[in-house]
Amino acid sequence: SQLAEENSWALSVHEGESVTVNCSYKTSITALQWYRQKSGKGPAQLILIRSNEREKRNGRLRATLDTSSQSSSLSITATRCEDTAVYFCATDAGGTNTGKLTFGDGTVLTVKP
Amino acid sequence: DAGVTQTPRHEVAEKGQTIILKCEPVSGHNDLFWYRQTKIQGLELLSYFRSKSLMEDGGAFKDRFKAEMLNSSFSTLKIQPTEPKDSAVYLCASSRTGKDTQYFGPGTRLLVL
């Protein structure tokens, strides 16, 4: 079973619109990370949000974390064609010192001109 | 600082061959990860090193997959013998330590015929 999973397999928006990707997880965590993977490249981290934080921003990106419902969201405002990518959430194993992350299956976001 | 480098970027092998994939982590990083990425299974952890010590060796991959880290700046992943089902993108990532950001390389795309 997936320990971290995004709730939509694919999303499509037009440039300039806003979009939200949701993620749910099943274990206690120290932090949750959002990654983006563009075609032909490795994933790159967008935001790391710790379990004692409720919201984190990075430019046009905003991540929220609700530890009571074990869910997170990543919102992108004013989307651009270059935001087209696969978006992953990843969770650590809270309470341990391991650096291992569990990645969700990813949400494919397409931003159309 | 240079990012994570992986070579080769593409590899084609015949069934039964031995292939070796290479990874150079970000200088100063203590944790190194090997992942396999396929459309069906997503990102799967193959091996995890901390300060060159093997912390986790993905159970399902033990028999034909062997990762090594002989020094802090170089790691290899050997697949022996290769099978067509090994066709995937193999990603290497490194992080400073603990539950830090993982920095991914561009991956090696392997095709086994």
Side-chain angles (χ1 to χ4, degrees):
Chain A
S1 62
Q2 293 294 324
L3 295 180
E5 56 187 14
E6 297 79 11
N7 299 135
S8 299
W9 183 79
L11 296 169
S12 179
V13 297
H14 287 97
E15 258 195 323
E17 293 178 339
S18 297
V19 67
T20 297
V21 180
N22 295 302
C23 166
S24 56
Y25 59 92
K26 298 177 182 176
T27 62
S28 66
I29 62 172
T30 303
L32 182 144
Q33 301 183 39
W34 283 96
Y35 285 79
R36 175 172 65 190
Q37 184 175 24
K38 295 190 175 184
S39 181
K41 303 213 184 278
Q45 192 208 61
L46 300 172
I47 290 181
L48 183 154
I49 183 165
R50 302 195 185 279
S51 59
N52 62 351
E53 297 175 311
R54 292 296 166 258
E55 179 181 303
K56 197 88 169 275
R57 292 178 184 267
N58 179 9
R60 295 182 295 112
L61 308 176
R62 173 177 169 262
T64 65
L65 180 64
D66 184 340
T67 52
S68 62
S69 63
Q70 296 188 309
S71 63
S72 176
S73 69
L74 176 71
S75 297
I76 308 173
T77 57
T79 54
R80 305 168 182 165
C81 289
E82 53 262 38
D83 293 328
T84 293
V86 181
Y87 290 79
F88 297 94
C89 64
T91 53
D92 60 29
T96 72
N97 192 35
T98 178
K100 177 182 162 185
L101 295 177
T102 299
F103 286 82
D105 292 335
T107 293
V108 178
L109 173 64
T110 302
V111 181
K112 300 176 183 175
Chain B
D1 277 343
V4 175
T5 58
Q6 291 187 248
T7 55
R9 291 295 313 276
H10 302 272
E11 180 80 62
V12 179
E14 297 283 338
K15 178 183 172 181
Q17 271 188 294
T18 296
I19 62 107
I20 297 176
L21 309 181
K22 304 178 182 75
C23 173
E24 295 178 32
V26 175
S27 176
H29 281 190
N30 291 310
D31 285 9
L32 184 138
F33 307 85
W34 282 99
Y35 294 91
R36 185 172 78 173
Q37 185 174 37
T38 61
K39 279 190 171 18
I40 295 174
Q41 298 294 333
L43 273 162
E44 301 172 282
L45 181 68
L46 300 175
S47 291
Y48 163 33
F49 293 87
R50 170 164 290 175
S51 300
K52 301 185 293 180
S53 297
L54 183 64
M55 303 296 289
E56 185 159 335
D57 201 354
F61 299 96
K62 280 182 181 174
D63 55 347
R64 296 181 299 107
F65 292 72
K66 184 178 176 61
E68 290 187 316
M69 194 162 187
L70 299 180
N71 63 59
S72 61
S73 59
F74 186 70
S75 177
T76 59
L77 175 66
K78 181 192 289 187
I79 309 176
Q80 177 183 39
T82 52
E83 298 182 5
K85 65 181 179 181
D86 299 331
S87 297
V89 175
Y90 290 83
L91 291 160
C92 177
S94 69
S95 67
R96 277 194 295 261
T97 194
K99 303 172 193 297
D100 208 348
T101 302
Q102 289 188 16
Y103 294 85
F104 283 80
T108 296
R109 185 173 293 275
L110 173 65
L111 176 62
V112 182
L113 304 174

